[in-house]
Amino acid sequence: MTSQPTRRFLCLAVLAGAFMGASVAHAGSFEDFFRAVRADNASGVRTLLNRGFDPNTRDEKGLTGLLIALREPSPKVIDVLLESPKTDVNVLNASGESALMLAAIKGQQDLVTQLLARDAAVNKTGWTPLHYAASSGQLTIIKVLLDKYAFIDAQSPNGTTPLMMAAMYGSPESVKLLLEEGADPLMKNELGMTALDFAVKGKRSDAEQMIAAAMRAKSPNAGKW
């Protein structure tokens, strides 16, 4: 007959073994998931999600599967992750960038639409998707974001607005669109620079003319540009 202490020891051993087995399985799933994400292995990711793997798990560098899939890119995996209601589309990378911001700056219109359908945040503290879309002159995406109530004069941590980004890095059409939609050309960042200063610094004469005209229209006595 097995003694009481022996039975207790056996029960603890069984529980410990089960725990260790679960830990090993989780570790294996962790590696399999991120390997599948990087390889754009949609079926592999879907299988793991169906088994209960958390799509919001972060890798050693703090990135989720969705952020990695955007970086690679792994378009098939992106679709699978966005199909999962458990995927948090508003997670940020170490630079404070969301999936919507990354899609906006790259001009990925279809992905922007998918993310917005999943309630991706249009407005956030600091740099926003509109800043990113404006910086690369993504007209259609700028329009979509504004239609979703993106704050047109959103300020980055140093006070830079989407109009300033468009003035220096975007296209003349993006500057024109933002001005027509009501962007304030008189705003200044922490260095005291206006969108006009950004256009001058970027040697964007076309943007200079539009912004100077908008500044005069808004405040005729504010100075000469």
Side-chain angles (χ1 to χ4, degrees):
M1 175 180 288
T2 306
S3 65
Q4 188 69 23
T6 301
R7 284 199 297 271
R8 185 179 298 113
F9 174 78
L10 291 174
C11 288
L12 290 174
V14 170
L15 289 173
F19 177 77
M20 292 179 63
S23 298
V24 171
H26 176 74
S29 296
F30 179 91
E31 296 172 353
D32 291 344
F33 177 76
F34 289 108
R35 186 182 300 113
V37 169
R38 295 185 180 91
D40 201 18
N41 181 353
S43 61
V45 169
R46 182 178 287 108
T47 296
L48 288 166
L49 295 183
N50 289 338
R51 290 177 181 172
F53 188 85
D54 183 359
N56 303 310
T57 300
R58 293 179 181 268
D59 71 357
E60 298 85 350
K61 295 181 180 179
L63 295 176
T64 63
L66 180 59
L67 293 173
I68 293 172
L70 279 160
R71 182 195 65 193
E72 288 301 316
S74 298
K76 297 176 183 177
V77 165
I78 290 174
D79 288 340
V80 172
L81 291 172
L82 291 182
E83 288 172 2
S84 172
K86 295 182 180 180
T87 300
D88 182 355
V89 299
N90 289 314
V91 293
L92 306 177
N93 63 20
S95 300
E97 298 169 322
S98 66
L100 183 57
M101 293 169 69
L102 297 174
I105 199 170
K106 295 177 181 179
Q108 297 172 304
Q109 296 178 21
D110 290 341
L111 181 53
V112 166
T113 299
Q114 287 179 276
L115 289 165
L116 291 174
R118 285 293 313 278
D119 296 322
V122 172
N123 295 304
K124 59 183 284 291
T125 301
W127 296 102
T128 68
L130 187 58
H131 281 101
Y132 274 42
S135 69
S136 58
Q138 305 296 340
L139 283 183
T140 301
I141 294 176
I142 291 173
K143 293 176 182 177
V144 169
L145 294 173
L146 291 175
D147 285 343
K148 291 291 184 177
Y149 307 105
F151 182 33
I152 198 168
D153 290 322
Q155 292 180 286
S156 74
N158 66 357
T160 299
T161 67
L163 179 60
M164 295 173 190
M165 296 300 290
M168 188 167 182
Y169 303 108
S171 63
E173 292 77 15
S174 61
V175 171
K176 183 174 184 291
L177 174 60
L178 289 168
L179 289 172
E180 289 176 344
E181 292 295 329
D184 187 351
L186 300 179
M187 290 185 68
K188 298 180 179 181
N189 68 5
E190 290 182 352
L191 296 177
M193 296 176 65
T194 65
L196 179 60
D197 295 319
F198 273 78
V200 171
K201 185 175 181 180
K203 298 180 181 180
R204 305 289 299 280
S205 59
D206 41 13
E208 286 181 49
Q209 295 173 12
M210 286 186 283
I211 296 170
M215 294 175 81
R216 288 192 296 269
K218 191 173 182 67
S219 181
N221 299 319
K224 296 181 179 180
W225 301 284

